[in-house]
Amino acid sequence: MESVRDTGSISAAARAMEMDYKRAWTLIDSLNRAFDHPLVERSTGGTGGGGASLTAFGADVLERYRRIEQAAAKLGSADLKFMERHALTEAGPKV
C-alpha cells in the first residue's frame, strides 16, 4: 500500500518491490475485499495512462497498521534482543 501511495501505480509499486504485477494486483484486490470499504482505487487509462491511489480509508488503515507495528516492536524489543543474542547465525537448512 505504501508503494502504491508513493508511486501512484500498482505496476510501478510492483516493480519497486521486485514483484510481478499479477501478485501485486492480487494482494491489493485481497485487501480491498477484506474490508467494508476499498483501500486502493484504480483509475483506468487515458492519455496519461491509468493509476492507483489509496483511499482516505486506506490511508487511515495504513497509519493504524504502522502504529500497531511500532507498539508491537517496542513491546517485544527486549524479548527479540534476547533471542537474537542466542540465535545461531548458521542454523542449517530451512524446512
Coordinates of all heavy atoms in Angstrom, one line a residue:
M1 N 0.8 -1.2 0.0 CA 0.0 0.0 0.0 C 0.9 1.3 0.0 O 0.5 2.2 -0.7 CB -0.9 0.0 1.2 CG -2.1 -1.0 1.1 SD -3.2 -1.1 2.5 CE -3.5 0.5 2.9
E2 N 2.0 1.2 0.7 CA 2.8 2.4 0.7 C 3.4 2.6 -0.6 O 3.5 3.7 -1.1 CB 3.9 2.2 1.8 CG 3.4 2.4 3.2 CD 4.5 2.0 4.2 OE1 5.3 1.0 4.0 OE2 4.4 2.6 5.3
S3 N 3.8 1.5 -1.3 CA 4.4 1.7 -2.7 C 3.3 2.2 -3.6 O 3.7 3.0 -4.5 CB 4.9 0.4 -3.2 OG 6.1 0.0 -2.5
V4 N 2.1 1.8 -3.5 CA 1.1 2.3 -4.4 C 0.9 3.8 -4.1 O 0.8 4.6 -5.0 CB -0.3 1.5 -4.2 CG1 -1.4 2.3 -4.9 CG2 -0.1 0.1 -4.7
R5 N 0.8 4.1 -2.8 CA 0.7 5.5 -2.4 C 1.9 6.4 -3.0 O 1.6 7.5 -3.5 CB 0.7 5.6 -0.9 CG 0.6 7.1 -0.3 CD 1.1 7.2 1.1 NE 2.5 6.8 1.2 CZ 3.0 6.4 2.4 NH1 2.3 6.3 3.5 NH2 4.3 6.0 2.4
D6 N 3.1 5.8 -2.9 CA 4.2 6.6 -3.3 C 4.4 6.7 -4.8 O 4.9 7.7 -5.3 CB 5.5 6.0 -2.7 CG 5.5 6.1 -1.1 OD1 4.7 6.9 -0.6 OD2 6.3 5.4 -0.5
T7 N 4.0 5.7 -5.5 CA 4.2 5.7 -7.0 C 2.9 6.0 -7.8 O 3.1 6.4 -8.9 CB 4.6 4.3 -7.5 OG1 3.6 3.3 -7.2 CG2 5.9 3.8 -6.8
G8 N 1.8 5.9 -7.2 CA 0.5 6.2 -7.9 C 0.2 5.2 -8.9 O -0.6 5.4 -9.8
S9 N 0.7 4.0 -8.8 CA 0.5 2.9 -9.7 C 0.8 1.5 -9.1 O 1.7 1.4 -8.4 CB 1.5 3.1 -10.9 OG 1.6 2.0 -11.7
I10 N -0.1 0.6 -9.4 CA 0.1 -0.8 -9.0 C 1.3 -1.4 -9.7 O 2.2 -2.0 -9.1 CB -1.1 -1.7 -9.2 CG1 -2.3 -1.1 -8.3 CG2 -0.8 -3.1 -8.8 CD1 -3.6 -1.8 -8.5
S11 N 1.5 -1.1 -11.0 CA 2.6 -1.7 -11.7 C 3.9 -1.1 -11.3 O 4.9 -1.8 -11.1 CB 2.4 -1.6 -13.3 OG 2.3 -0.2 -13.6
A12 N 3.9 0.2 -11.0 CA 5.2 0.8 -10.6 C 5.5 0.3 -9.1 O 6.7 0.1 -8.8 CB 5.1 2.3 -10.6
A13 N 4.5 0.2 -8.3 CA 4.7 -0.4 -7.0 C 5.3 -1.8 -7.0 O 6.2 -2.1 -6.3 CB 3.4 -0.3 -6.2
A14 N 4.7 -2.6 -7.9 CA 5.2 -4.0 -8.1 C 6.7 -3.9 -8.5 O 7.5 -4.7 -8.0 CB 4.4 -4.7 -9.1
R15 N 7.0 -3.1 -9.5 CA 8.4 -3.0 -9.9 C 9.3 -2.6 -8.8 O 10.4 -3.1 -8.6 CB 8.6 -2.1 -11.1 CG 8.1 -2.6 -12.4 CD 8.5 -1.7 -13.6 NE 8.0 -0.4 -13.5 CZ 6.8 0.0 -14.0 NH1 6.0 -0.9 -14.5 NH2 6.4 1.2 -13.8
A16 N 8.9 -1.6 -8.0 CA 9.7 -1.1 -6.9 C 9.9 -2.2 -5.9 O 11.0 -2.2 -5.2 CB 9.0 0.1 -6.3
M17 N 9.0 -3.1 -5.7 CA 9.1 -4.2 -4.8 C 9.6 -5.5 -5.4 O 9.6 -6.5 -4.7 CB 7.7 -4.4 -4.1 CG 7.3 -3.2 -3.3 SD 5.7 -3.5 -2.6 CE 6.1 -4.6 -1.3
E18 N 10.1 -5.4 -6.6 CA 10.5 -6.6 -7.4 C 9.5 -7.7 -7.3 O 9.9 -8.9 -7.0 CB 11.9 -7.0 -6.9 CG 13.0 -5.9 -7.0 CD 14.3 -6.3 -6.5 OE1 14.5 -7.4 -6.0 OE2 15.3 -5.5 -6.7
M19 N 8.3 -7.4 -7.6 CA 7.2 -8.3 -7.6 C 6.5 -8.2 -8.9 O 6.4 -7.2 -9.5 CB 6.2 -7.9 -6.5 CG 5.0 -8.7 -6.3 SD 3.9 -7.9 -5.0 CE 4.9 -7.9 -3.6
D20 N 5.9 -9.4 -9.4 CA 5.2 -9.2 -10.7 C 3.9 -8.6 -10.5 O 3.3 -8.6 -9.4 CB 5.1 -10.6 -11.4 CG 4.2 -11.6 -10.7 OD1 3.0 -11.3 -10.5 OD2 4.8 -12.7 -10.3
Y21 N 3.3 -8.0 -11.5 CA 2.1 -7.2 -11.5 C 1.0 -8.0 -11.0 O 0.2 -7.6 -10.1 CB 1.8 -6.6 -12.8 CG 0.4 -5.9 -12.8 CD1 0.3 -4.6 -12.4 CD2 -0.7 -6.6 -13.2 CE1 -0.9 -3.9 -12.3 CE2 -1.9 -5.9 -13.2 CZ -2.0 -4.6 -12.7 OH -3.2 -4.0 -12.7
K22 N 0.8 -9.3 -11.4 CA -0.3 -10.1 -11.0 C -0.3 -10.3 -9.5 O -1.4 -10.3 -8.9 CB -0.2 -11.5 -11.8 CG -1.3 -12.5 -11.3 CD -2.0 -13.1 -12.4 CE -3.0 -14.1 -12.0 NZ -4.1 -13.7 -11.1
R23 N 0.8 -10.6 -8.9 CA 0.9 -10.8 -7.5 C 0.5 -9.5 -6.8 O -0.3 -9.5 -5.8 CB 2.3 -11.2 -7.1 CG 2.4 -11.4 -5.5 CD 3.5 -12.3 -5.1 NE 3.8 -12.3 -3.7 CZ 3.0 -12.7 -2.8 NH1 1.8 -13.2 -3.0 NH2 3.4 -12.7 -1.5
A24 N 1.0 -8.4 -7.2 CA 0.7 -7.1 -6.6 C -0.8 -6.8 -6.7 O -1.4 -6.4 -5.7 CB 1.5 -6.0 -7.2
W25 N -1.4 -7.0 -7.9 CA -2.8 -6.8 -8.1 C -3.6 -7.7 -7.2 O -4.6 -7.3 -6.6 CB -3.2 -7.0 -9.6 CG -4.6 -6.6 -9.8 CD1 -5.0 -5.4 -10.2 CD2 -5.7 -7.4 -9.7 NE1 -6.4 -5.4 -10.3 CE2 -6.9 -6.6 -10.0 CE3 -5.9 -8.7 -9.3 CZ2 -8.1 -7.1 -10.0 CZ3 -7.2 -9.2 -9.3 CH2 -8.3 -8.4 -9.6
T26 N -3.2 -9.0 -7.1 CA -3.9 -9.9 -6.2 C -3.9 -9.5 -4.8 O -4.9 -9.6 -4.1 CB -3.3 -11.4 -6.4 OG1 -3.5 -11.7 -7.8 CG2 -4.0 -12.4 -5.5
L27 N -2.8 -9.0 -4.3 CA -2.7 -8.5 -2.9 C -3.6 -7.3 -2.7 O -4.3 -7.3 -1.7 CB -1.2 -8.2 -2.6 CG -0.3 -9.4 -2.5 CD1 1.2 -8.9 -2.4 CD2 -0.6 -10.3 -1.3
I28 N -3.5 -6.4 -3.6 CA -4.4 -5.2 -3.5 C -5.9 -5.6 -3.5 O -6.7 -5.2 -2.7 CB -4.1 -4.2 -4.6 CG1 -2.7 -3.6 -4.5 CG2 -5.2 -3.1 -4.7 CD1 -2.4 -2.8 -3.2
D29 N -6.2 -6.5 -4.4 CA -7.6 -7.0 -4.5 C -8.0 -7.7 -3.2 O -9.1 -7.5 -2.7 CB -7.7 -7.9 -5.7 CG -9.2 -8.3 -6.0 OD1 -10.0 -7.4 -6.1 OD2 -9.4 -9.5 -6.1
S30 N -7.1 -8.5 -2.7 CA -7.4 -9.2 -1.4 C -7.6 -8.2 -0.3 O -8.6 -8.3 0.5 CB -6.3 -10.1 -1.0 OG -6.1 -11.1 -2.0
L31 N -6.8 -7.1 -0.2 CA -7.0 -6.1 0.8 C -8.4 -5.4 0.6 O -9.1 -5.2 1.6 CB -5.9 -5.1 0.7 CG -4.6 -5.5 1.3 CD1 -3.5 -4.5 1.0 CD2 -4.7 -5.6 2.8
N32 N -8.7 -5.1 -0.6 CA -9.9 -4.4 -0.9 C -11.1 -5.3 -0.5 O -12.1 -4.8 0.0 CB -10.1 -4.0 -2.3 CG -9.3 -2.7 -2.6 OD1 -9.0 -1.9 -1.7 ND2 -9.1 -2.4 -3.9
R33 N -11.0 -6.6 -0.7 CA -12.1 -7.5 -0.3 C -12.2 -7.8 1.2 O -13.2 -8.2 1.7 CB -12.0 -8.8 -1.1 CG -12.2 -8.6 -2.6 CD -11.8 -10.0 -3.3 NE -11.9 -9.8 -4.7 CZ -13.0 -10.1 -5.4 NH1 -14.1 -10.6 -4.8 NH2 -13.0 -10.0 -6.7
A34 N -11.1 -7.5 1.9 CA -11.0 -7.8 3.3 C -11.7 -6.8 4.2 O -12.0 -7.0 5.4 CB -9.6 -8.0 3.8
F35 N -12.0 -5.6 3.6 CA -12.6 -4.5 4.4 C -13.9 -4.1 3.8 O -14.2 -4.4 2.6 CB -11.7 -3.3 4.4 CG -10.4 -3.6 5.3 CD1 -9.3 -4.1 4.7 CD2 -10.5 -3.3 6.6 CE1 -8.2 -4.3 5.5 CE2 -9.3 -3.5 7.4 CZ -8.2 -4.0 6.8
D36 N -14.7 -3.4 4.5 CA -16.0 -3.0 4.0 C -16.0 -1.7 3.2 O -17.0 -1.3 2.6 CB -17.0 -2.8 5.2 CG -16.6 -1.7 6.2 OD1 -15.5 -1.2 6.1 OD2 -17.4 -1.4 7.1
H37 N -14.8 -1.1 3.0 CA -14.5 0.0 2.1 C -13.2 -0.3 1.4 O -12.3 -0.9 2.0 CB -14.4 1.3 2.9 CG -15.6 1.8 3.6 ND1 -16.9 1.5 3.2 CD2 -15.7 2.4 4.8 CE1 -17.7 2.1 4.1 NE2 -17.0 2.6 5.0
P38 N -13.1 0.1 0.2 CA -11.8 -0.2 -0.5 C -10.6 0.6 0.1 O -10.8 1.7 0.6 CB -12.1 0.2 -2.0 CG -13.2 1.2 -1.9 CD -14.0 0.8 -0.7
L39 N -9.5 0.0 0.0 CA -8.2 0.7 0.5 C -7.5 1.4 -0.7 O -6.8 2.4 -0.5 CB -7.3 -0.3 1.2 CG -7.7 -0.7 2.6 CD1 -8.9 -1.6 2.6 CD2 -6.6 -1.3 3.3
V40 N -7.6 0.8 -1.8 CA -6.9 1.3 -3.0 C -8.0 1.5 -4.1 O -8.8 0.6 -4.4 CB -5.8 0.3 -3.5 CG1 -5.2 0.8 -4.8 CG2 -4.7 0.2 -2.4
E41 N -7.9 2.6 -4.8 CA -8.7 2.8 -6.0 C -7.9 2.8 -7.2 O -6.8 3.4 -7.2 CB -9.4 4.2 -5.9 CG -10.5 4.3 -4.9 CD -11.1 5.7 -4.9 OE1 -10.3 6.7 -5.0 OE2 -12.3 5.8 -4.7
R42 N -8.4 2.2 -8.3 CA -7.7 2.2 -9.6 C -8.4 3.1 -10.5 O -9.6 3.2 -10.5 CB -7.6 0.8 -10.2 CG -6.8 -0.2 -9.3 CD -6.8 -1.6 -9.9 NE -8.1 -2.1 -10.4 CZ -8.3 -2.8 -11.5 NH1 -7.3 -3.1 -12.2 NH2 -9.5 -3.2 -11.8
S43 N -7.6 3.8 -11.4 CA -8.2 4.6 -12.4 C -7.7 4.0 -13.8 O -6.6 3.6 -13.9 CB -7.9 6.0 -12.3 OG -6.5 6.2 -12.3
T44 N -8.6 3.9 -14.7 CA -8.2 3.3 -16.0 C -7.6 4.3 -16.9 O -7.7 5.5 -16.6 CB -9.5 2.7 -16.7 OG1 -10.5 3.7 -16.8 CG2 -10.0 1.5 -16.0
G45 N -6.9 3.9 -17.9 CA -6.1 4.7 -18.8 C -6.7 6.0 -19.3 O -7.6 6.5 -18.7
G46 N -6.2 6.4 -20.3 CA -6.5 7.7 -20.9 C -5.2 8.2 -21.5 O -4.3 7.4 -21.7
T47 N -5.1 9.5 -21.7 CA -3.9 10.0 -22.4 C -2.6 9.8 -21.5 O -1.6 9.5 -22.0 CB -4.0 11.5 -22.7 OG1 -4.3 12.2 -21.6 CG2 -5.0 11.7 -23.8
G48 N -2.8 9.9 -20.2 CA -1.7 9.7 -19.3 C -1.6 8.3 -18.7 O -0.7 8.1 -17.9
G49 N -2.5 7.5 -19.1 CA -2.5 6.1 -18.6 C -3.3 6.0 -17.3 O -3.8 7.0 -16.8
G50 N -3.4 4.9 -16.7 CA -4.2 4.7 -15.5 C -3.3 4.9 -14.3 O -2.2 5.5 -14.4
G51 N -3.8 4.5 -13.2 CA -3.1 4.7 -11.9 C -3.8 4.1 -10.8 O -4.9 3.5 -11.0
A52 N -3.3 4.3 -9.6 CA -3.9 3.8 -8.4 C -3.5 4.7 -7.3 O -2.5 5.4 -7.3 CB -3.4 2.4 -8.1
S53 N -4.4 4.8 -6.3 CA -4.1 5.6 -5.1 C -4.9 5.1 -3.9 O -5.8 4.3 -4.0 CB -4.6 7.1 -5.4 OG -6.0 7.1 -5.6
L54 N -4.3 5.4 -2.7 CA -5.0 5.0 -1.5 C -6.3 5.8 -1.3 O -6.2 7.0 -1.6 CB -4.1 5.2 -0.3 CG -2.9 4.3 -0.1 CD1 -2.2 4.6 1.2 CD2 -3.2 2.9 -0.3
T55 N -7.3 5.2 -0.9 CA -8.5 6.0 -0.5 C -8.2 6.6 0.9 O -7.2 6.2 1.5 CB -9.7 5.1 -0.4 OG1 -9.5 4.1 0.7 CG2 -10.0 4.3 -1.7
A56 N -9.0 7.5 1.3 CA -8.9 8.1 2.7 C -8.9 6.9 3.7 O -8.1 6.9 4.7 CB -10.0 9.1 2.9
F57 N -9.8 6.0 3.5 CA -9.9 4.8 4.4 C -8.6 4.0 4.3 O -8.1 3.6 5.4 CB -11.1 4.0 4.0 CG -11.3 2.8 4.9 CD1 -11.7 2.9 6.2 CD2 -11.1 1.5 4.4 CE1 -11.9 1.8 7.0 CE2 -11.2 0.4 5.2 CZ -11.6 0.5 6.5
G58 N -8.1 3.8 3.2 CA -6.8 3.1 3.0 C -5.7 3.7 3.7 O -4.9 3.1 4.4
A59 N -5.6 5.1 3.6 CA -4.5 5.8 4.3 C -4.7 5.7 5.8 O -3.7 5.5 6.6 CB -4.6 7.3 3.9
D60 N -5.9 5.7 6.3 CA -6.2 5.5 7.7 C -5.8 4.1 8.2 O -5.2 4.0 9.3 CB -7.7 5.8 8.0 CG -8.0 5.9 9.5 OD1 -7.2 6.3 10.3 OD2 -9.2 5.5 9.9
V61 N -6.2 3.1 7.4 CA -5.8 1.7 7.8 C -4.3 1.6 7.8 O -3.7 1.0 8.8 CB -6.4 0.7 6.8 CG1 -5.8 -0.7 7.0 CG2 -8.0 0.6 7.0
L62 N -3.6 2.1 6.8 CA -2.1 2.0 6.8 C -1.5 2.7 8.0 O -0.6 2.2 8.7 CB -1.6 2.7 5.5 CG -0.1 2.7 5.4 CD1 0.5 1.3 5.4 CD2 0.3 3.4 4.0
E63 N -2.0 3.9 8.4 CA -1.5 4.6 9.5 C -1.7 3.8 10.8 O -0.8 3.7 11.7 CB -2.2 6.0 9.6 CG -1.7 6.8 10.8 CD -2.4 8.2 10.8 OE1 -2.7 8.7 9.8 OE2 -2.7 8.6 12.0
R64 N -2.9 3.2 11.0 CA -3.2 2.4 12.1 C -2.3 1.2 12.2 O -1.8 0.8 13.3 CB -4.7 2.1 12.2 CG -5.6 3.2 12.4 CD -7.0 2.9 12.2 NE -7.9 4.0 12.3 CZ -8.4 4.4 13.5 NH1 -8.2 3.8 14.6 NH2 -9.2 5.5 13.5
Y65 N -2.1 0.6 11.1 CA -1.3 -0.6 11.0 C 0.2 -0.3 11.4 O 0.8 -1.0 12.2 CB -1.2 -1.2 9.6 CG -0.3 -2.4 9.5 CD1 -0.6 -3.6 9.9 CD2 1.0 -2.1 9.0 CE1 0.3 -4.7 9.8 CE2 1.9 -3.2 8.9 CZ 1.6 -4.5 9.3 OH 2.5 -5.5 9.2
R66 N 0.7 0.8 11.0 CA 2.1 1.2 11.3 C 2.1 1.5 12.8 O 3.2 1.2 13.5 CB 2.5 2.4 10.5 CG 2.8 2.0 9.1 CD 3.9 1.0 9.0 NE 4.2 0.7 7.6 CZ 4.7 -0.5 7.2 NH1 5.0 -1.4 8.2 NH2 5.0 -0.7 6.0
R67 N 1.1 2.1 13.4 CA 1.1 2.3 14.9 C 1.1 1.0 15.6 O 1.8 0.9 16.6 CB -0.1 3.2 15.3 CG 0.0 4.6 15.0 CD -1.0 5.5 15.9 NE -2.3 5.1 15.8 CZ -3.3 5.6 15.0 NH1 -3.0 6.7 14.3 NH2 -4.5 5.2 15.0
I68 N 0.3 0.1 15.2 CA 0.3 -1.3 15.8 C 1.7 -1.9 15.7 O 2.2 -2.4 16.7 CB -0.8 -2.2 15.2 CG1 -2.2 -1.7 15.5 CG2 -0.6 -3.6 15.7 CD1 -3.3 -2.3 14.7
E69 N 2.3 -1.8 14.5 CA 3.6 -2.4 14.3 C 4.6 -1.8 15.2 O 5.5 -2.5 15.8 CB 4.0 -2.2 12.8 CG 5.2 -2.8 12.4 CD 5.5 -2.6 10.9 OE1 5.5 -1.4 10.5 OE2 5.8 -3.5 10.2
Q70 N 4.6 -0.4 15.4 CA 5.6 0.2 16.3 C 5.4 -0.1 17.7 O 6.3 -0.4 18.4 CB 5.4 1.8 16.1 CG 6.0 2.3 14.8 CD 5.7 3.7 14.6 OE1 5.0 4.4 15.3 NE2 6.2 4.3 13.5
A71 N 4.1 -0.2 18.1 CA 3.8 -0.6 19.5 C 4.3 -2.0 19.8 O 4.8 -2.3 20.8 CB 2.3 -0.5 19.8
A72 N 4.0 -2.9 18.8 CA 4.5 -4.3 19.0 C 6.0 -4.4 19.0 O 6.5 -5.2 19.8 CB 3.9 -5.2 17.9
A73 N 6.7 -3.7 18.2 CA 8.1 -3.7 18.2 C 8.7 -3.2 19.5 O 9.6 -3.8 20.1 CB 8.7 -2.8 17.1
K74 N 8.1 -2.1 20.1 CA 8.5 -1.6 21.4 C 8.2 -2.6 22.5 O 9.1 -2.9 23.3 CB 7.8 -0.3 21.7 CG 8.3 0.4 22.9 CD 7.5 1.7 23.2 CE 7.7 2.7 22.1 NZ 7.1 4.0 22.4
L75 N 7.1 -3.2 22.5 CA 6.7 -4.2 23.5 C 7.6 -5.4 23.4 O 8.0 -6.0 24.5 CB 5.2 -4.6 23.3 CG 4.6 -5.5 24.3 CD1 4.6 -4.8 25.7 CD2 3.2 -5.9 23.9
G76 N 7.9 -5.9 22.2 CA 8.7 -7.1 22.1 C 10.2 -6.9 22.0 O 11.0 -7.9 21.9
S77 N 10.7 -5.7 22.1 CA 12.1 -5.3 21.9 C 13.0 -6.2 22.8 O 14.0 -6.8 22.3 CB 12.3 -3.9 22.1 OG 13.7 -3.5 22.0
A78 N 12.8 -6.2 24.1 CA 13.7 -6.9 25.0 C 13.7 -8.4 24.6 O 14.8 -9.1 24.6 CB 13.3 -6.7 26.4
D79 N 12.6 -9.0 24.4 CA 12.5 -10.4 24.0 C 13.2 -10.7 22.7 O 13.9 -11.7 22.6 CB 11.0 -10.9 24.0 CG 10.4 -10.9 25.4 OD1 11.1 -11.1 26.4 OD2 9.2 -10.5 25.4
L80 N 13.0 -9.9 21.7 CA 13.7 -10.1 20.4 C 15.2 -10.0 20.6 O 15.9 -10.8 20.0 CB 13.2 -9.0 19.4 CG 11.8 -9.3 18.9 CD1 11.3 -8.1 18.1 CD2 11.7 -10.6 18.1
K81 N 15.7 -9.0 21.4 CA 17.1 -8.9 21.6 C 17.6 -10.1 22.3 O 18.7 -10.6 22.0 CB 17.4 -7.7 22.5 CG 17.3 -6.4 21.7 CD 17.6 -5.2 22.5 CE 17.3 -3.9 21.7 NZ 17.4 -2.7 22.5
F82 N 16.9 -10.7 23.3 CA 17.3 -11.9 23.9 C 17.5 -13.0 22.9 O 18.5 -13.8 22.9 CB 16.3 -12.3 25.0 CG 16.5 -13.7 25.6 CD1 17.4 -13.9 26.6 CD2 15.8 -14.8 25.1 CE1 17.6 -15.1 27.1 CE2 16.0 -16.1 25.6 CZ 16.9 -16.2 26.6
M83 N 16.5 -13.2 22.0 CA 16.5 -14.3 21.0 C 17.7 -14.1 20.1 O 18.3 -15.0 19.7 CB 15.2 -14.4 20.3 CG 14.1 -15.0 21.2 SD 12.6 -15.4 20.3 CE 11.6 -13.9 20.7
E84 N 17.9 -12.8 19.7 CA 19.0 -12.5 18.7 C 20.3 -12.9 19.3 O 21.2 -13.4 18.7 CB 19.0 -11.0 18.3 CG 17.9 -10.7 17.4 CD 17.8 -9.2 17.2 OE1 18.6 -8.4 17.8 OE2 16.9 -8.8 16.4
R85 N 20.5 -12.6 20.6 CA 21.8 -13.0 21.3 C 22.0 -14.5 21.3 O 23.2 -14.9 21.4 CB 21.8 -12.4 22.7 CG 22.0 -10.9 22.9 CD 22.4 -10.5 24.3 NE 21.5 -11.0 25.3 CZ 20.4 -10.4 25.7 NH1 20.0 -9.3 25.2 NH2 19.6 -11.0 26.7
H86 N 21.0 -15.3 21.4 CA 21.1 -16.7 21.5 C 20.9 -17.5 20.2 O 21.1 -18.7 20.1 CB 20.1 -17.2 22.5 CG 20.4 -16.7 23.9 ND1 21.4 -17.2 24.7 CD2 19.9 -15.7 24.6 CE1 21.5 -16.6 25.8 NE2 20.6 -15.6 25.8
A87 N 20.6 -16.8 19.1 CA 20.3 -17.4 17.8 C 21.6 -17.8 17.1 O 22.6 -17.0 17.2 CB 19.5 -16.5 16.9
L88 N 21.7 -18.9 16.5 CA 22.8 -19.3 15.7 C 22.7 -18.7 14.3 O 21.7 -18.6 13.7 CB 22.9 -20.8 15.6 CG 23.0 -21.6 16.9 CD1 22.9 -23.1 16.6 CD2 24.3 -21.2 17.6
T89 N 23.9 -18.1 13.8 CA 23.8 -17.5 12.5 C 23.7 -18.5 11.4 O 23.0 -18.2 10.4 CB 25.1 -16.7 12.3 OG1 26.3 -17.6 12.4 CG2 25.2 -15.5 13.2
E90 N 24.2 -19.7 11.5 CA 24.1 -20.8 10.5 C 23.3 -21.9 11.2 O 24.0 -22.8 11.7 CB 25.5 -21.2 10.0 CG 26.2 -20.2 9.2 CD 25.4 -19.8 7.9 OE1 24.8 -20.8 7.3 OE2 25.4 -18.7 7.5
A91 N 22.0 -21.9 11.2 CA 21.3 -22.9 11.8 C 20.9 -24.1 10.9 O 20.1 -24.9 11.3 CB 20.0 -22.3 12.4
G92 N 21.5 -24.1 9.7 CA 21.2 -25.2 8.8 C 20.1 -24.9 7.9 O 19.6 -23.8 7.8
P93 N 19.7 -25.9 7.1 CA 18.6 -25.6 6.1 C 17.3 -25.3 6.7 O 16.9 -25.8 7.7 CB 18.6 -26.9 5.3 CG 19.1 -28.0 6.2 CD 20.1 -27.2 7.1
K94 N 16.6 -24.4 6.0 CA 15.2 -24.0 6.4 C 14.3 -25.1 5.9 O 14.4 -25.6 4.7 CB 14.8 -22.7 5.8 CG 15.8 -21.6 6.1 CD 15.7 -21.1 7.5 CE 16.5 -19.9 7.8 NZ 17.9 -20.1 8.0
V95 N 13.4 -25.6 6.7 CA 12.4 -26.6 6.3 C 11.2 -26.0 5.8 O 10.7 -25.0 6.2 CB 12.1 -27.5 7.6 CG1 11.1 -28.6 7.2 CG2 13.4 -28.1 8.1

